[in-house]
Structure formats: structure tokens, C-alpha cells
Amino acid sequence: MQTDFMAWLRQHDNRAYELYEEHVNPAFVKMLKTIGFDKCYVRGEGPYLWDAAGQKYLDFLTGWGVFALGRNHPKVKAILKQLLDENLPNLVRMNCSPLSGLVAEKLTEHVGGGLTRVFFCNSGTESVEGAIKFARCATGRQDIIYCDHAFHGLTTGALAVNGADFFRERFGDLLPGTRKVPFNDLEPLERELSSKKAAAFILEPVQGKSCEVVKDGYLAEAQRLCRKFGTLLVLDEVQTGLGRTGKWFCYQHWDIEPDIVCVSKALSGGFVPVGAVVTRPKIMDAVFNSMERCVVHSNTFGQNDMAMGAALATLQVIEEDHLVENAAIMGEVLMDGLKKIGATCPFVSEVRGKGLMIGIDFDRPKDSFKLKAAWDMLHKLNFGVFGQMIVIPLMQKHRILTQVAGYHTEVIKFLPPMTIAQDDCDWFLRAMQDVLDDTQRVPGAAWDTVMGLAKATIRA
Ligand SMILES: Cc1ncc(COP(=O)(O)O)c(C=O)c1O
């Protein structure tokens, strides 16, 4: 065993990509190298990352929404250190620890309404699996209705309610009885619900892969229809939850009360994987309906002390540092700024989202012949690569980490930490103006890069 583990670890920094290529996922390494994202980060603090050369990066990806508090938040760290130092009787399993009860108490306080029970798990996809099982068990029905373009995770149950063929292809038959409806469209939803076969209707209030937001009035009507036809309304707040959209939970913008809420990502504080299914006692009691069935849905690591400590600390930091309020204020700063900048770029068709979950959608420009021709040429080679013309220079020229929203879409998405301050919003908006201006220089370096990338993708 190394006496100085960190010194030993640092010696291997330059082997990271080689090791990953050999033993983990060579295709991922190839992708990172192709777009020039093969950096060696050595430190993360708040909204920033630093590489080995000491260069500072602004993180607008936040580990896909995990680092809502920024990286290595000192209050969460302090609580985790105290827990580690205590030699706690972790995961005894045949006992009840106060930590999980305290997290459940605080979480349900913020969810509100009659959703007073929590099932703990280890990830977003596992919370969705739990929601599907609970809904089936509580209603005695099998079918699950989901939305086009939905993303709820990649285990087989959650994959069965994924709205993109790309993720499902080549993985065989998934859950039976899943039925897709268009997002934000009540008529087809009512048609599916009226069969009275659906246990649940599951949706994200802001879709992660498109940044489409539910229309005003949509959720209230969806809830009314679900109740009318005996279907449970499941809101997947894995990405939107815990303040990101400017309310503790996104559905609270519309004053409705779902039957089940899925939570994960930010709850971890960026430290320990955790997930939660929050629901009504009636639903939970239908699942765990006898002593014999008291762990009929369970997992080994759920409720472990470190996860619960991280979750409790995270909830406290969100409250004490007024991060929900900050997300609302800074979300407006970014949305307003991006809308103004977007209006100057003929490729931007829409800037949309809620709070600090913002997407930019790109489309073929309407006027300039030169820009239309460039767009067409790129799209003949590859659909969905245009976003890289923004993401790559944001990283290479401006040291801002972002990502396209999903495969085969023209949307790029921004998920800054909820702690973000005005200075960093300014850094980001200046950079966005610059990279969007560059898209209009044809021929130009930005187009050369993305054409090269499209050709490399075809060759691969
Ligand atoms: C809305 C939503 N649900 C579920 C998941 C799956 O979460 P996990 O990756 O933790 O399984 C994600 C992940 O991005 C998500 O955005």
C-alpha cells in the first residue's frame, strides 16, 4: 500500500487516456481525442476545473448536472469528513439509521403535498425503475406511457421508456406495454390514457435531450386526465430537481401535485451516487403491503451513510445559500443574454429552457445563400454535428466545458452550477457571442473544423 497515495496517483496522470483506451472504453477515448477534449484535469473547485498546465476552465456541463453546488463544496466535504472519522455502523441493514430518515424528512418537505415517503437508491435510472415498479404494483396495470425524445436512463426498464431509437437499437426486446406519445400534446395522451391500461405516465418537465419545456397548462391537464383514467403521474426530476429550474422541483412552476417524483444527480452533492423515489404513502403501502414483502423492492447500497450524509448536506447548502433563488436569477441573466446573442446569429432557431437548464437549437438559416449552402453541405455529410461548431471553440478558445444535448440533435445544452455568479455568466456570454459570430464566417476556421469532424465520422 502506498504511504502517500496522492503522490502515487499523480505519477499516473499521464497514463489516464492510455489506461482508459486499453481497459475501459476505447471508442470514448477516440471521440474525446477527435474533438480535442482529451484534457488532463487535476483540480475542481466551485464552477471551475484546472488542467495540469494550470489553465482554468468554466464548467457548464457539471458532470451532467451532478455538480449543482459546484465542485468540492466545503460544507458537504466537512460533513463527509466528520462521518468518515466517526466509524459509523454503516449499512447494518437490519436496523434504521437516523440519516436516511432525516434526508427523507427534508426531501419530502420540499416536494410537499401528500408525497411523504421516500425510497432510496443509487442513480437516476434506478429511481425510474422504482417508479415503474411502484406504479405497476399500486395500480395493478402494466402499461407505461412516455414521451417522444424522453430520456430516463439506460437500464432496460428506463430504456423501454426512452424516446430515441438510437439508445434502444441493438439491445433486444425491452419492457412490454410501453407506449410513446408526442411531448406537449394532450390529445394523443388522452387517447392512450382512455384505454385505462396505463399504470403511469412518465415525463421530464424540461426534456434533457432537447431542452423543450412543458407548455403552461399542460401538466395540470395531464394530471387531470391521469386522475380521470386511474393512471399515476410520474415526474422525472432527476435533472430538473433540487432547484435547477428556479423552484425546488420544476413542476412547482405550475402548481400541480404528481404521484411520484424521481430525484438523483444534484442530491449527491457531487460526491456519492444517490437516487430517490418520492411518493404517497398509499402507493408505497401497496408495494410494501406486509412484513413478508417489506423489502420486496430494495438494493444493497441505498441509504449508505456517505450517500445520506452527502444528500443531507446538499439539501442544507441549497437552503442556506439560497441556491434555488440564485438559479432563478442567474437563469434569467443567461436566458436573456443568450436570446440577445442568438438573435444576431442566423443559425439559431430557438433559445429555450428553464432556470439554469438552457438549450440552443440550430436550424438552416432563412436568408443568406452562403450560410444556407454551408449548412446543406455539412448536413449532407452528417446530421447533428453542427453543435460541435459551438462546443469545440467554447473549449479550445474560451476554456468553457459544454456538450451537445444528445445524439442526432442540433441542440446544445448548458447546465452551470446553481452557485454561478455574474462574472462567470459574463465570461460565458462573451464567449458565446464570439463563437456564434464565427459560425457566420464562411469559409472560416470553425467550418473547417466541423467539416473535418463530419468527414472523420464518416470514415470511422
Ligand atoms: C431526466 C433523467 N432521468 C434519468 C436519468 C438517468 O440517471 P443516471 O445516469 O443517474 O442513471 C438522467 C440522466 O441524465 C436524466 O437526465
Side-chain angles (χ1 to χ4, degrees), residues 427-441:
W427 173 357
F428 170 75
L429 290 172
R430 270 195 311 275
M432 280 304 293
Q433 181 77 68
D434 181 59
V435 296
L436 288 179
D437 286 350
D438 276 351
T439 63
Q440 296 165 67
R441 296 194 180 98

Side-chain angles (χ1 to χ4, degrees), residues 64 122-128 151-154 204 206 208-209 236-240 264-265 274 413:
W64 296 336
N122 306 283
S123 66
T125 200
E126 198 189 336
S127 72
V128 169
F151 187 89
H152 299 290
L154 296 176
E204 305 146 89
V206 182
K209 295 291 173 201
D236 180 347
E237 295 255 9
V238 164
Q239 195 159 158
T240 50
S264 185
K265 292 197 189 269
V274 64
K413 188 171 76 178

Side-chain angles (χ1 to χ4, degrees), residues 80-94:
L80 290 179
K81 280 183 180 169
Q82 283 183 45
L83 287 175
L84 266 181
D85 286 344
E86 271 309 298
N87 292 339
L88 288 172
N90 193 15
L91 291 175
V92 176
R93 303 282 33 165
M94 293 303 281

Side-chain angles (χ1 to χ4, degrees), residues 125 128-129 132 146 150-169 171-172 174-175 178:
T125 200
V128 169
E129 299 290 339
I132 291 173
Y146 66 98
F151 187 89
H152 299 290
L154 296 176
T155 49
T156 49
L159 191 57
V161 291
N162 187 302
D165 291 341
F166 171 81
F167 284 106
R168 305 154 66 113
E169 279 162 9
F171 290 108
L174 300 168
L175 271 190
T178 58

